[in-house]
């Protein structure tokens, strides 16, 4: 599904053929954590996919997160063994409901209450941060279930005394935004669909979760998108006359087009969380360990400072923790992992 993003971006990203100039490296920033102590802010979590038959046990996975200093995780459905392993660790969790349950959650508030009772309330030691109601739901029938399901889950969490602590959102593909050349022109392609969702997020203080993949944009248009621009490597600078800002990497340009779309939709206060981003190390065009390391290390180093349009830490979830050998589709899908199933590094990376 991620590869569909590339075709939507081809025109939008012609801007990278402009003149190249050196860019400065991102500076690490410091901020206070919830206990008042200061620490380096990277705002990085990692998605924990499980589509493989040789992956480590949940307890070993959580130990690896802790040993690497990774303080946030995304899972794509409630997994009791993972939730038990996370209990008491302080690792923040973004948990999907799973697309298959959306109709039930949308049609019946009691189903949402039962879901919260089964998948959230039994785990008081888990640091639930967000519940993602749908991931990249593209069909119109499925999209109609998202907002009702979000509202029902929000009500269920509030009834359980968790409404202020756990935010309800949905995870969308980047191509819900269109006209992204330049980034300041970004608008939502279908405001009839996205508008009510954004109004809900604005009313609850929840962020919009967006999957952002410069890799697929580069793969779809390598003639116009320079590899260095796509991988946080110095050498290309792009100016946006619409907002007066300068871009030195494709990730920033993509995220700032989302912020522009939020402003156009009159919901500028809605925050953005990048719920997936990554680069494969094998299996297809541009998929090498060298490129994957350049992008993912660049992402880790960069997001603590935000984007040209919006400074400050940008919460981002890298995709993914492990190479998953049972994923279907393009061969690159098996090679997005930062680690191999034996927990060895797929390539050198520093958190």
């Amino acid at each position: 599904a991620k590869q569909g993003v590339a075709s939507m971006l081809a025109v939008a990203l012609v801007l990278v053929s402009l003149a190249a100039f050196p860019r400065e490296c991102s500076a690490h920033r410091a901020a206070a954590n919830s206990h008042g102590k200061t620490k380096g802010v990277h705002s990085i979590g990692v998605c924990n996919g499980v589509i493989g038959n040789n992956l480590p046990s949940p307890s070993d996975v959580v130990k690896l997160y802790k040993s690497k200093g990774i303080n946030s995780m995304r899972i794509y459905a409630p997994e009791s063994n993972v939730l038990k392993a996370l209990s008491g660790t302080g690792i923040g969790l973004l948990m999907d409901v799973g697309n298959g349950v959306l109709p039930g959650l949308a049609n019946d508030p009691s189903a949402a209450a039962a879901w919260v009772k089964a998948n959230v309330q039994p785990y008081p030691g888990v640091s639930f941060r967000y519940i993602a109601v749908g991931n990249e739901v593209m069909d119109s029938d499925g999209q109609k279930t998202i907002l009702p399901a979000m509202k029902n889950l929000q009500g269920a969490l509030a009834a359980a005394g968790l409404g202020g602590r756990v935010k309800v959102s949905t995870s969308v593909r980047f191509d819900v935004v269109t006209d992204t050349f330049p980034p300041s022109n970004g608008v939502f392609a279908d405001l009839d669909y996205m508008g009510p969702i954004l109004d809900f997020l604005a009313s609850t203080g929840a962020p919009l979760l967006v999957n952002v993949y410069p890799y697929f944009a580069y793969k779809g248009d390598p003639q116009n998108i320079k590899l260095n621009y796509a991988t946080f490597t110095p050498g290309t600078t792009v100016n946006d006359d619409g907002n007066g800002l300068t871009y030195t990497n494709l990730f920033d340009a993509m995220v700032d087009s989302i912020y522009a779309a939020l402003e156009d939709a009159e919901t500028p206060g809605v925050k953005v969380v990048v719920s997936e981003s990554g680069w494969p190390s094998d299996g297809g065009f541009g998929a090498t360990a060298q490129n994957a390391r350049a992008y993912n290390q660049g992402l880790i180093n960069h997001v603590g400072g935000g984007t040209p349009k919006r400074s400050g830490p940008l919460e981002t979830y890298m995709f993914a923790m492990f190479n998953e050998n049972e994923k279907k589709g393009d061969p690159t899908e098996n090679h997005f992992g930062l680690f191999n199933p034996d927990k060895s590094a797929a390539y050198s990376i520093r958190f």
Side-chain angles (χ1 to χ4, degrees):
K2 302 183 193 78
Q3 296 182 72
V5 176
S7 61
M8 303 294 292
L9 291 171
V11 174
L13 299 169
V14 170
L15 74 170
V16 298
S17 62
L18 300 178
F21 299 93
R23 82 162 175 87
E24 296 180 359
C25 295
S26 303
H28 291 279
R29 300 198 174 197
N33 65 16
S34 59
H35 300 290
K37 299 176 183 177
T38 59
K39 61 181 181 179
V41 173
H42 295 278
S43 305
I44 283 289
V46 181
C47 302
N48 180 27
V50 295
I51 307 177
N53 60 12
N54 57 355
L55 298 174
S57 69
S59 61
D60 284 345
V61 171
V62 170
K63 288 177 183 176
L64 186 58
Y65 272 69
K66 292 180 67 177
S67 73
K68 299 299 180 182
I70 305 168
N71 61 12
S72 301
M73 178 187 292
R74 179 182 183 181
I75 60 176
Y76 291 89
E79 303 261 353
S80 61
N81 290 336
V82 175
L83 294 172
K84 290 175 183 176
L86 285 170
S87 184
T89 64
I91 294 173
L93 184 65
L94 190 175
M95 182 169 74
D96 289 43
V97 301
N99 290 356
V101 304
L102 291 178
L105 294 175
N107 294 329
D108 186 358
S110 66
W115 190 93
V116 170
K117 185 176 181 180
N119 300 305
V120 179
Q121 289 178 270
Y123 307 99
V126 174
S127 300
F128 291 101
R129 189 172 293 167
Y130 312 112
I131 303 296
V133 181
N135 180 48
E136 298 189 344
V137 177
M138 300 303 296
D139 64 288
S140 59
D141 288 341
Q143 289 177 346
K144 291 174 183 176
T145 67
I146 290 176
L147 184 58
M150 291 172 68
K151 290 180 176 178
N152 285 342
L153 275 173
Q154 179 70 29
L157 287 166
L162 300 168
R165 181 164 67 89
V166 185
K167 300 297 186 182
V168 176
S169 186
T170 186
S171 182
V172 297
R173 282 175 26 161
F174 174 73
D175 58 7
V176 299
V177 178
T178 189
D179 295 338
T180 55
F181 171 60
S184 58
N185 281 0
V187 295
F188 286 102
D190 185 355
L191 262 181
D192 290 337
Y193 162 51
M194 288 299 301
I197 290 175
L198 298 174
D199 290 340
F200 173 81
L201 298 178
S203 71
T204 64
L208 178 64
L209 309 175
V210 188
N211 298 340
V212 179
Y213 282 94
Y215 168 71
F216 290 107
Y218 168 70
K219 179 181 178 180
D221 190 11
Q223 295 301 314
N224 290 312
I225 300 175
K226 296 182 179 181
L227 179 62
N228 69 298
Y229 188 71
T231 57
F232 295 100
T233 304
T236 298
T237 298
V238 174
N239 297 315
D240 183 341
D241 292 336
N243 59 20
L245 299 174
T246 298
Y247 292 90
T248 57
N249 64 81
L250 182 54
F251 177 84
D252 278 352
M254 294 171 77
V255 173
D256 275 1
S257 72
I258 301 168
Y259 289 134
L262 288 168
E263 292 176 355
D264 177 76
E266 300 182 354
T267 53
V270 173
K271 295 181 179 180
V272 171
V273 168
V274 176
S275 44
E276 287 183 13
S277 192
W279 195 288
S281 60
D282 201 356
F285 179 80
T288 68
Q290 180 180 359
N291 291 343
R293 183 189 183 282
Y295 179 80
N296 287 319
Q297 190 67 67
L299 187 68
I300 292 169
N301 296 345
H302 183 76
V303 295
T307 69
K309 186 172 179 64
R310 193 165 298 186
S311 63
L314 172 62
E315 188 172 351
T316 298
Y317 291 78
M318 302 176 73
F319 188 88
M321 193 65 172
F322 298 103
N323 288 323
E324 300 168 70
N325 66 353
E326 292 187 328
K327 293 197 75 173
K328 306 299 182 184
D330 191 89
T332 57
E333 292 291 332
N334 303 115
H335 299 282
F336 272 87
L338 302 172
F339 296 90
N340 298 306
D342 64 3
K343 297 180 287 185
S344 64
Y347 41 83
S348 176
I349 199 87
R350 293 178 295 101
F351 289 96

